[in-house]
Amino acid sequence: MASDTAAHRHTPLQVLRHLDTGPRGLTDPEAATRLAATGENTVPERRTASWPRLFLRSLRDPFTAVLLCLGLVSALVASWGTAAVILALVAVSCALRTSGEHRADRSLHDLRELVGATACVLRRTDADAPVRARETPVAELVPGDVIRLGPGDLVPADVRLLRATGLTVHQAALTGESAPVAKAAVELPGAADEGPFAQPYLCFQGSGVVSGSATAVVLATGARTRFAAAHEGPVRREASAFDRSVHGISWVLIRFMLLTPPLVLMANAALRGRGLATLPFAVAVAVGLTPEMLPVIVTTCLARGAALLARTHGVVVRRLPALHDLGAVDVLCLDKTGTLTQDRPVVERALGPDGAQDPDVLRLASTAAWWTLQLAEAPVPDALDEALLEATGPVGEEEYDGVGAVPFDPVRRLATAVVRGEALGTHTLIVKGAVEDVLERCVLDEAERDRLLSLAEGEAESGLRLLAVATAERPARARGYGPADERGLVFRGLVTFHDALNPDAGEALRALADLGIGVRILTGDHPATAARVCRELGLAQGEVRIEARCTPQDKARAVADLRAAGHTVGFLGDGLNDVPALRAADVGIAPRAAVDVAREAADVVLAGKDLAAVRHAVTAGRHSSANIASYLRITLSSNLGNVIAMLAAGLLLPFLPMLPAQVLAQNLCFDAAQLAFAHDRPGAEAVRRPTVLRPRAFLRFITGFGVLNAVADLATFAVLALALRGPDAVDDEVLFHSAWFTENLLTQALVMLLLRTGGGTPGPIGRAAAALAAVGVLLPLSPLGAPLGMTGLALPYYVLLAAVLGVYALALRGLRSTRGLYSCAT
């Protein structure tokens, strides 16, 4: 491959020969031939799943699969109403989930921003024609093309520099480095051991030119670039927190559901001699245990939360279950660049050789920045020059006349401005650059040099970036100046810089901490730099953890270790170097301005790299999770109690405790009322800490409340037995069915009110519970009562039911206060 390591280490001439090209570039026929052979210079784009594929994928949900099976069994035993309702629920749930994910995929497709549309390429019509620089579509670049780069350009392919003047590139999307990196056409000693991104003569697709200019030859395009290689990684991640918790609960219930019909059949055959006649009732009981509305409630809650986030905060949730995972996040990993800081340096202070404040040093450095910008071939200042000029303004223009400039290059690590000196007939050289390189050119004894190096090291260890400044006086001359004149310098001092803080970051981090989320900073910068940023944001030691000098693999490994330790992890990143960690996290979060491959790896896309938006997304996730947890608590405890009571009553009574049609009608009424959970507004307690459904604790919870519900049902059974003809002569089937139907719906209405997530007024839950209670009382009295095998009750029966329900409500409140609502979902 043209971009292999051996080719990288060749001289420019050897690379040109290897690619069968030259400094004048390719001819149009040569470029056309190579384009046909290599293909277009585009990153392979993952295909968006089609609507049918998304619909089929939604059927993998375990409850959905079980509901389908129960629907088919209901159809086989000619229970057409049950079968129709179950299949309708499955279809609605799958359609809601599919449309939400398809809409998110479409929204993200519009955000694709890869590289610039065109590049400046040297091309000829034929071998004898003159070379012309032309704007050519990036997709038509081929290996061997010679291109020109300037400030603001995006590097359109992997290239080898042939010439460069003052070139710096921003490659944070590839490496995570916050500062622009100097590039040159020469090889630096030792750089080969630090990997290809450290090579000054290589630039890669996905990076951007900050300053300077260059001519380069294209080494690799399309799928052969390092940028495109990130697309080749696996996109399948481990099961998320939401999947693990719901599946854990689901499979326990599924096993119980599958055991229920045969147990009912065998018990009735042995004790009552009913056999297969009770099959429809057995299926109805199994369906009664099923949280039929779970797929609909889950999808509706998540879809509403995702739509609200998109509408109010510009947050796109690509994978609906990721919204629940956001609510469960207890550790958020992020890089400091662009999140805690604004990705630009700010002058901290200027120090003289003695370490004391010296404003003259800052004035000299700004003068050098101003005249280097005016006189060298670097029309755009680098980040440190911008910071100097922002701090002082164009002081050099007012106080000095510029004579010449020697621009920065990565070998010298210096830049020099030459101005007319204060003495007549003299020129002053103002040199600024890396501390070691400036001191090397100063007239100093060994002890003084060591002292100044120690001073600089102390400043660097406090998290600051440094720029050394030195001057020299020379006799005025007409000829230009070059690197050879940068000698015999007088050291003037240091200018220190810190990263400009994001003013809202400290408050946002504290807000996340209040939500029970620990923050871990994974950065490629020096640990002192990250620690200083945290201190300046007012974060106390221990509020955040810092892991510095992280490679992309280190970030992914840190995320995986946190997940293995039982945490639910979110990762916020925007560069190619963040992709492994985005895929390793429970929730990958990327801003809209992230590189394309990072956006595709993310589950959630933010309008900006903003921690406040993350907080809004977490809060929305917890609201949705709280509603889902409320639904599961209520429906499963209520259904479990009903099933236990029905099984017991079925063995004690000479007739079925409820007809299959009555069980179906009860389930339909309860299911319709529970749609209100998708619109509930949980209290503040629900969002104070991460929400995770813990299967074992959850099952203990619903077992306790389910048994209490069963006791209430059986107490109703006992009261009815005594009220009708005595404990041994309960034979009025219609009256018994009617009373138990009413009692079941009333107890379910009570459970909806008393076991919902607390805080605030019941709102839609209160209205739904009232409607459910009204149906329980009025349906037996209505014209629909007779077809369902029910009749109206006399007033004494309502008094008895009210007494039983009053005791049940008191017991429910007592058990709730002792066990707490959050023991199973935090």
Side-chain angles (χ1 to χ4, degrees):
M1 188 171 65
S3 60
D4 61 21
T5 304
H8 286 167
R9 294 190 181 181
H10 289 161
T11 66
L13 182 59
Q14 290 172 321
V15 171
L16 291 172
R17 288 175 178 171
H18 178 77
L19 294 169
D20 193 21
T21 186
R24 303 172 67 203
L26 301 173
T27 65
D28 288 338
E30 288 172 337
T33 301
R34 296 189 185 194
L35 184 61
T38 62
E40 290 191 341
N41 178 34
T42 55
V43 175
E45 185 176 303
R46 297 194 188 281
R47 298 176 59 187
T48 301
S50 64
W51 211 94
R53 184 183 295 272
L54 288 173
F55 188 89
L56 291 175
R57 194 165 65 191
S58 66
L59 294 174
R60 297 176 186 173
D61 179 82
F63 272 126
T64 302
V66 170
L67 282 173
L68 278 174
C69 293
L70 290 175
L72 294 175
V73 171
S74 299
L76 289 175
V77 298
S79 183
W80 303 112
T82 304
V85 169
I86 291 174
L87 294 178
L89 288 172
V90 169
V92 169
S93 169
C94 292
L96 283 172
R97 179 173 298 181
T98 300
S99 62
E101 294 189 1
H102 188 68
R103 185 166 54 251
D105 280 347
R106 271 206 326 266
S107 298
L108 196 72
H109 183 78
D110 296 336
L111 301 177
R112 297 189 187 280
E113 298 168 0
L114 181 57
V115 291
T118 62
C120 182
V121 184
L122 301 184
R123 288 271 180 90
R124 297 167 288 159
T125 55
D126 55 54
D128 298 326
V131 176
R132 293 184 182 276
R134 66 177 76 165
E135 291 294 321
T136 301
V138 164
E140 296 179 11
L141 287 183
V142 296
D145 263 328
V146 176
I147 64 172
R148 289 178 179 171
L149 298 172
D153 287 344
L154 289 171
V155 179
D158 290 356
V159 302
R160 206 283 187 200
L161 297 178
L162 302 177
R163 293 183 300 277
T165 303
L167 183 68
T168 60
V169 300
H170 199 281
Q171 54 185 28
L174 304 170
T175 65
E177 297 173 278
S178 59
V181 178
K183 295 289 184 177
V186 297
E187 181 175 357
L188 292 182
D193 298 331
E194 301 181 20
F197 292 117
Q199 296 289 348
Y201 51 84
L202 295 177
C203 293
F204 298 93
Q205 185 183 63
S207 55
V209 178
V210 177
S211 64
S213 59
T215 301
V217 61
V218 174
L219 296 176
T221 59
R224 301 167 188 81
T225 63
R226 291 184 177 271
F227 190 95
H231 281 256
E232 298 174 3
V235 296
R236 185 182 300 274
R237 55 162 59 98
E238 298 177 17
S240 68
F242 178 75
D243 296 330
R244 292 194 302 269
S245 57
V246 172
H247 285 196
I249 297 169
S250 300
W251 285 112
V252 172
L253 293 173
I254 286 169
R255 294 186 187 100
F256 189 40
M257 287 161 49
L258 294 177
L259 286 174
T260 299
L263 285 176
V264 172
L265 290 175
M266 289 187 295
N268 275 274
L271 298 178
R272 296 294 181 183
R274 297 175 187 147
L276 291 176
T278 60
L279 181 58
F281 174 72
V283 172
V285 170
V287 172
L289 183 62
T290 308
E292 301 103 325
M293 297 300 291
L294 178 62
V296 177
I297 295 293
V298 167
T299 305
T300 304
C301 285
L302 297 179
R304 290 188 75 250
L308 182 64
L309 278 175
R311 186 170 61 252
T312 58
H313 301 291
V315 176
V316 177
V317 179
R318 297 191 60 206
R319 184 178 60 86
L320 283 182
L323 190 59
H324 170 85
D325 294 341
L326 271 172
V329 163
D330 58 357
V331 177
L332 177 65
C333 298
L334 48 89
D335 192 358
K336 73 174 185 62
T337 305
T339 306
L340 306 184
T341 65
Q342 299 181 34
D343 198 16
R344 64 180 181 87
V346 174
V347 172
E348 173 84 4
R349 56 182 177 164
L351 306 176
D354 58 355
Q357 296 267 8
D358 188 346
D360 285 341
V361 177
L362 178 58
R363 180 178 55 81
L364 287 170
S366 297
T367 298
W370 172 261
W371 285 112
T372 302
L373 175 63
Q374 301 303 314
L375 300 176
E377 294 184 18
V380 176
D382 66 19
L384 296 184
D385 284 347
E386 285 183 333
L388 290 169
L389 296 175
E390 183 178 337
T392 64
V395 294
E397 181 184 25
E398 300 171 358
E399 299 183 21
Y400 297 96
D401 290 329
V403 174
V406 184
F408 179 89
D409 76 56
V411 178
R412 294 164 36 249
R413 300 200 297 171
L414 304 172
T416 298
V418 184
V419 298
R420 286 190 173 86
E422 295 181 1
L424 187 64
T426 64
H427 288 167
T428 300
L429 279 69
I430 307 175
V431 181
K432 60 181 177 65
V435 175
E436 296 85 352
D437 295 89
V438 170
L439 289 176
E440 184 182 333
R441 292 163 172 80
C442 290
V443 181
L444 298 167
D445 58 42
E446 197 65 30
E448 180 65 5
R449 181 175 284 106
D450 290 343
R451 185 188 70 80
L452 292 172
L453 285 172
S454 297
L455 173 65
E457 184 178 349
E459 294 294 321
E461 286 180 352
S462 67
L464 296 172
R465 293 161 64 180
L466 304 178
L467 192 67
V469 182
T471 61
E473 297 294 328
R474 299 282 190 266
R477 70 189 193 200
R479 63 185 175 88
Y481 289 84
D485 296 298
E486 298 166 338
R487 56 182 172 77
L489 306 177
V490 177
F491 183 76
R492 302 299 297 269
L494 302 170
V495 180
T496 64
F497 302 83
H498 68 265
D499 288 331
L501 300 179
N502 184 335
D504 300 324
E507 182 181 351
L509 286 176
R510 283 185 284 273
L512 291 174
D514 291 341
L515 293 175
I517 298 176
V519 176
R520 185 164 298 194
I521 298 174
L522 308 179
T523 178
D525 282 337
H526 191 283
T529 304
R532 182 184 182 88
V533 168
C534 292
R535 288 196 304 272
E536 291 179 346
L537 287 172
L539 300 173
Q541 187 174 6
E543 283 189 276
V544 297
R545 294 188 60 183
I546 300 170
E547 294 186 28
R549 301 298 192 196
C550 287
T551 65
Q553 291 70 30
D554 291 335
K555 293 181 180 181
R557 190 180 305 112
V559 170
D561 290 345
L562 286 169
R563 292 189 69 195
H567 294 285
T568 303
V569 184
F571 183 87
L572 173 60
D574 61 356
L576 188 65
N577 61 314
D578 295 321
V579 170
L582 285 168
R583 290 175 174 165
D586 289 286
V587 187
I589 309 168
R592 184 175 302 180
V595 297
D596 185 78
V597 67
R599 286 200 306 267
E600 285 206 350
D603 303 300
V604 178
V605 179
L606 308 177
K609 200 172 183 182
D610 180 11
L611 289 176
V614 175
R615 177 173 59 83
H616 290 307
V618 167
T619 302
R622 291 187 183 178
H623 279 152
S624 298
S625 300
N627 288 340
I628 293 169
S630 290
Y631 165 77
L632 283 171
R633 279 197 302 267
I634 291 167
T635 190
L636 292 180
S637 58
S638 180
N639 288 356
L640 180 63
N642 287 341
V643 167
I644 294 173
M646 283 189 185
L647 292 177
L651 299 178
L652 295 173
L653 293 172
F655 50 83
L656 293 176
M658 290 187 76
L659 299 177
Q662 294 166 352
V663 175
L664 175 62
Q666 175 185 290
N667 287 343
L668 280 174
C669 294
F670 194 28
D671 289 343
Q674 289 176 105
L675 285 173
F677 283 108
H679 304 271
D680 194 20
R681 184 71 178 176
E685 188 178 356
V687 299
R688 286 177 184 162
R689 45 188 164 174
T691 305
V692 180
L693 301 177
R694 305 187 186 281
R696 291 185 179 178
F698 201 92
L699 292 171
R700 288 196 299 270
F701 182 94
I702 64 174
T703 299
F705 282 95
V707 169
L708 177 61
N709 191 46
V711 169
D713 286 347
L714 292 175
T716 302
F717 164 57
V719 168
L720 291 174
L722 292 172
L724 291 174
R725 291 191 181 181
D728 299 321
V730 182
D731 56 5
D732 192 333
E733 295 184 34
V734 174
L735 193 60
F736 185 91
H737 291 162
S738 303
W740 206 356
F741 179 90
T742 298
E743 185 270 346
N744 275 337
L745 290 189
L746 292 177
T747 56
Q748 287 169 337
L750 279 175
V751 169
M752 288 180 65
L753 287 174
L754 297 179
L755 291 190
R756 68 177 286 269
T757 304
T761 58
I765 298 298
R767 292 189 291 273
L772 183 64
V775 169
V777 173
L778 298 177
L779 184 61
L781 299 171
S782 72
L784 293 176
L788 289 173
M790 293 186 292
T791 187
L793 302 177
L795 182 60
Y797 294 118
Y798 290 112
V799 175
L800 292 173
L801 289 178
V804 172
L805 290 173
V807 174
Y808 173 64
L810 292 175
L812 194 63
R813 291 183 66 89
L815 186 59
R816 166 182 165 163
S817 63
T818 58
R819 303 196 62 165
L821 279 181
Y822 296 95
S823 60
C824 61
T826 59

